[in-house]
Amino acid sequence: MIMGDLRLFADSDALNYAAAQRWAQLAEAAISARGKFHIALSGGSTPRALYRRLANPDFANRIAWDRVYVYFGDERNVPPDHADSNYFMAKDALLNHVPIPPAQIYRMEGERENIHEAATSYAQLLSSRLPMSAQGVVQFDLLLLGLGPDGHVASLFPGTPVLHERARLVEAVFVEKLQTWRITLTLPVIDHARHVLILVDGLKKAPILRDVFSARTAPPPYPVQLITPQGVLEWYVDKEAASLLPETLRS
């Protein structure tokens, strides 16, 4: 069974409020201890709602944005102003609305013609900007993830070779079922984050969440089940997404 702390909420609004609270707490703790808060953002509809919540003054005014350093967990092979861009979504929902210095926002250059070079450049950036874990791997203070209906996180999709990557920090991957390239952080980066927060909401996510937490799941494992957290892994899940979980986990 996958490791982590499962936290259940009545609805997506309650989930996003609690996740925003957690962001603010972790930012304050990181800035107090180390002077900076390094965070990797996720794409997707659930994180978008969280970003909009954080942009509201009740949270935005609590966070020392001049000490926040923003990165991304993955990106699509599109320009930064494209509607499908994770960077564009985060900028529209949050980054345009808080006083974070633009020089402290580090996007993945998904539009590059050579996407492998884009992945290598981002890995070099992470190595130059982030602190290291005790094991010598770059370390985020907080890494946000959504959960796809096929069990993917970031752009770590089932059956893709990037699932076996243990040396590179960032990799380009062709997702055959989508017929497109992506850039993604690799599992070692996720594993060594101080905190990993997985956001899951809605009835559509109930079957995959049930399967992920089921000991009966047949191999191969879902990508999310390959995470072996060295820090704290927390699941923020609303009632609908949790509806197919065993009663023992929902009580």
Side-chain angles (χ1 to χ4, degrees), residues 100-222:
I100 182 170
Q104 292 171 201
I105 300 170
Y106 306 103
R107 71 176 184 87
M108 292 176 166
E109 297 180 332
E111 76 279 12
R112 277 208 206 178
E113 184 175 350
N114 189 327
I115 200 164
H116 296 282
E117 287 184 358
T120 299
S121 294
Y122 206 73
Q124 292 169 344
L125 183 147
L126 297 186
S127 294
S128 69
R129 297 287 181 180
L130 291 175
M132 297 287 181
S133 70
Q135 294 79 22
V137 180
V138 297
Q139 187 170 56
F140 286 102
D141 294 304
L142 175 60
L143 197 153
L144 295 175
L145 295 172
L147 179 66
D150 58 358
H152 83 266
V153 290
S155 282
L156 302 172
F157 284 83
T160 54
V162 71
L163 297 178
H164 306 290
E165 181 59 57
R166 295 297 181 270
R168 297 176 184 270
L169 304 176
V170 185
E171 189 64 287
V173 57
F174 185 74
V175 184
E176 188 170 353
K177 72 176 184 178
L178 302 176
Q179 288 295 295
T180 188
W181 284 92
R182 299 280 187 95
I183 305 173
T184 186
L185 300 181
T186 58
L187 281 166
V189 179
I190 297 173
D191 289 344
H192 285 84
R194 290 179 181 272
H195 292 84
V196 176
L197 193 59
I198 304 178
L199 309 173
V200 192
D201 70 352
L203 282 173
K204 290 182 179 179
K205 299 296 177 67
I208 184 61
L209 196 69
R210 173 200 60 204
D211 289 353
V212 165
F213 277 85
S214 171
R216 300 186 301 274
T217 302
Y222 292 109

Side-chain angles (χ1 to χ4, degrees), residues 3-54:
M3 299 171 62
D5 180 14
L6 181 63
R7 302 188 181 191
L8 304 181
F9 301 93
D11 53 34
S12 59
D13 286 342
L15 182 159
N16 288 313
Y17 183 84
Q21 289 272 31
R22 190 63 168 140
W23 172 310
Q25 292 166 357
L26 292 173
E28 182 180 5
I31 292 166
S32 177
R34 295 175 294 280
K36 297 178 180 180
F37 180 57
H38 295 283
I39 181 165
L41 302 186
S42 173
S45 58
T46 308
R48 181 191 291 114
L50 167 60
Y51 302 157
R52 288 175 174 163
R53 191 72 186 82
L54 283 160

